[in-house]
Amino acid sequence: MAAKKIYNFSKFFPLAVVFSLLLIIGGIVSVIFRGVNFGLDFRPGMIEEIRISEATIEVSYKGSATVNLDASSTDALTVIVSGIGADNRTLRLPYSEYSSTSAICAKLSEIEDVTASAIKSVAIPSGGLFVSSAVSTTLSPSVLRLFVPDESSVVSADDVRAALSEFSSVDVKSIGSDDERSFQIRLGVSDSEQAKALQSDVDKALEAAFNKNGKEAVSVKSDFMSPQFSSSLISGSIVLVLATLVLIFIYATIRFKWDFALASVIAIIHDALVMISFISWSQMEFSTTTLAAILTIIGYSINATVVILDRVRSDIQTVEAKTFTDILNSALSATLSRSIITTVTTLFAVLSLFFFTTGTIHDFSLALIVGLISGCYSSMFIAGAFIARTRKNFSFSTRAPVSPHVVQFNPQK
């Protein structure tokens, strides 16, 4: 059998450490002077969800009781009648039984003093009926309009972005399938009063762009993220990453030794800092999606590092070598093909996301590309350099007797 080819990885350890330090120091300088482009997930702001649809039912009530409509369920429309002297009851109208707007209106009109008319008689789709979040669902003499999801709408997220082009720091994301499509709009604001004024301006811009041919831009829900909440989200994310590192260190210490565990944590911190450096250099938006990419790379990196460390532990007992760096070179050479193949095959999937998607998924895939390359590199050179340093004076006399079937260390020149 031909001898296993051994590559001298250890001679690149000093160069790799210097290279990584330059990258990380450059990233820290960039963070200090350029900052991080935090997305609206980490900034105070307004979040509004809209649907482009058309009104199909008009309902009003002239009685003295309190009548509320609940259209939050996709299975049924619920009517709650209450009040002094009223016949308190809850009426549930399943869409499976009342499958058209005309049938719903006929049933609603049976309620005393309720008037319901179908603007347009259509079948109720799987998304059910919904109302605008900007109006009260308590019936009154004023007309309350109910909408159905518009399956024929050709409006895209790019169309909504174009309608809101006059606003700065706006982010639009398409949510749901074609028959239930809605758009989530995020804008940065500093307080709730500013959010109310901004929402009014946004709604006017959407009305001007989409309120035509019977269609309307309907606000489904709106929320305001306060500065306190965004700050707690940032601190919570930091705690999450730190807790992950502590748990990984405990796991690696139990499975290996403390220096192996610390080497794996250093490799992970290296990858996270490289990704943050890249995010700061490129001014990519740092959102919860980007944070998910960092956590994904942490999992990928520790997996790759553990495979190498496990091989090092095995080679300590099976490889006859003069120095510990010889064992490291043997282990890294044995796992080289596995490291490269795993990284390349994963990159194929990530590159397809990068080239064929837009928005947050595009940024997510770009962050993953940087993290995958960094993870493969750090598992071999950064973790290896640290272990080589801590075990510089490793005593081979303390290991178990070498098996007669040892692999003789024979580095190729």
Side-chain angles (χ1 to χ4, degrees):
M1 179 187 287
K4 180 178 66 175
K5 187 172 183 179
I6 306 297
Y7 299 97
N8 192 2
F9 286 90
S10 58
K11 73 176 182 180
F12 297 105
F13 287 167
L15 182 63
V17 171
V18 172
F19 175 70
S20 293
L21 285 175
L22 290 176
L23 281 180
I24 293 171
I25 291 172
I28 293 173
V29 171
S30 178
V31 169
I32 293 173
F33 291 99
R34 301 185 65 188
V36 177
N37 180 24
F38 284 106
L40 292 173
D41 295 333
F42 294 96
R43 287 186 291 161
M46 181 197 77
I47 304 174
E48 183 176 18
E49 184 178 338
I50 67 163
R51 284 181 174 178
I52 310 300
S53 186
E54 56 183 328
T56 55
I57 295 177
E58 291 184 342
V59 188
S60 61
Y61 176 68
K62 297 181 179 179
S64 58
T66 301
V67 181
N68 285 287
L69 288 184
D70 182 4
S72 60
S73 172
T74 59
D75 299 325
L77 177 68
T78 304
V79 185
I80 303 171
V81 182
S82 61
I84 300 176
D87 182 16
N88 295 337
R89 60 189 175 124
T90 299
L91 181 64
R92 190 171 185 273
L93 309 180
Y95 298 132
S96 58
E97 297 179 21
Y98 305 92
S99 57
S100 69
T101 54
S102 298
I104 290 284
C105 288
K107 189 62 178 179
L108 288 174
S109 297
E110 294 179 4
I111 302 173
E112 186 178 358
D113 295 324
V114 170
T115 302
S117 59
I119 301 173
K120 186 177 181 181
S121 182
V122 296
I124 299 177
S126 59
L129 298 169
F130 66 93
V131 298
S132 171
S133 64
V135 299
S136 172
T137 56
T138 301
L139 297 184
S140 68
S142 300
V143 172
L144 173 67
R145 296 185 300 167
L146 283 77
F147 301 82
V148 293
D150 186 6
E151 299 180 16
S152 63
S153 177
V154 294
V155 177
S156 66
D158 289 335
D159 297 325
V160 178
R161 290 189 193 98
L164 301 176
S165 58
E166 63 182 278
F167 299 93
S168 59
S169 301
V170 62
D171 177 59
V172 179
K173 180 168 61 177
S174 179
I175 302 174
S177 56
D178 291 341
D179 58 343
E180 299 180 43
R181 176 167 295 169
S182 61
F183 301 96
Q184 186 183 76
I185 302 169
R186 293 169 173 257
L187 294 110
V189 290
S190 57
D191 57 67
S192 58
E193 292 301 320
Q194 184 184 2
K196 292 178 181 178
L198 186 60
Q199 182 177 359
S200 176
D201 294 338
V202 167
D203 291 341
K204 289 178 182 178
L206 293 172
E207 288 175 8
F210 301 112
N211 287 25
K212 61 184 75 170
N213 300 324
K215 301 292 177 64
E216 298 182 39
V218 184
S219 175
V220 179
K221 63 180 179 181
S222 59
D223 293 297
F224 170 69
M225 183 184 292
S226 67
Q228 292 79 11
F229 181 81
S230 59
S231 298
S232 65
L233 186 60
I234 294 174
S235 59
S237 301
I238 294 173
V239 170
L240 176 64
V241 174
L242 292 177
T244 303
L245 293 177
V246 170
L247 291 174
I248 288 174
F249 178 79
I250 294 173
Y251 161 77
T253 301
I254 294 173
R255 181 168 180 179
F256 303 107
K257 297 291 185 179
W258 72 267
D259 54 344
F260 280 31
L262 189 55
S264 62
V265 170
I266 289 174
I268 291 171
I269 294 174
H270 168 276
D271 298 335
L273 290 177
V274 167
M275 292 181 71
I276 292 173
S277 299
F278 176 78
I279 290 168
S280 178
W281 290 331
S282 63
Q283 286 297 289
M284 177 196 301
E285 184 177 84
F286 187 89
S287 63
T288 50
T289 304
T290 315
L291 178 62
I294 293 176
L295 292 175
T296 301
I297 291 303
I298 286 177
Y300 174 88
S301 180
I302 187 60
N303 180 66
T305 305
V306 164
V307 169
I308 294 174
L309 295 181
D310 191 62
R311 185 60 186 239
V312 172
R313 182 177 61 178
S314 173
D315 283 0
I316 289 176
Q317 303 300 328
T318 59
V319 174
E320 186 174 355
K322 296 180 179 179
T323 64
F324 188 79
T325 55
D326 292 340
I327 292 177
L328 268 178
N329 289 330
S330 174
L332 290 171
S333 298
T335 57
L336 178 62
S337 60
R338 181 264 176 203
S339 300
I340 294 176
I341 292 172
T342 303
T343 302
V344 171
T345 51
T346 308
L347 276 174
F348 284 149
V350 177
L351 285 171
S352 65
L353 289 176
F354 176 75
F355 288 112
F356 299 110
T357 62
T358 58
T360 55
I361 298 299
H362 180 82
D363 291 343
F364 174 77
S365 58
L366 180 57
L368 280 184
I369 291 171
V370 175
L372 285 169
I373 297 172
S374 175
C376 181
Y377 157 80
S378 66
S379 296
M380 292 190 292
F381 293 100
I382 303 303
F386 180 81
I387 297 172
R389 182 64 182 175
T390 58
R391 297 214 173 190
K392 183 177 180 181
N393 299 319
F394 177 78
S395 175
F396 288 94
S397 62
T398 60
R399 68 180 181 180
V402 178
S403 167
H405 304 290
V406 295
V407 177
Q408 298 295 326
F409 183 79
N410 184 24
Q412 301 294 311
K413 295 183 178 181

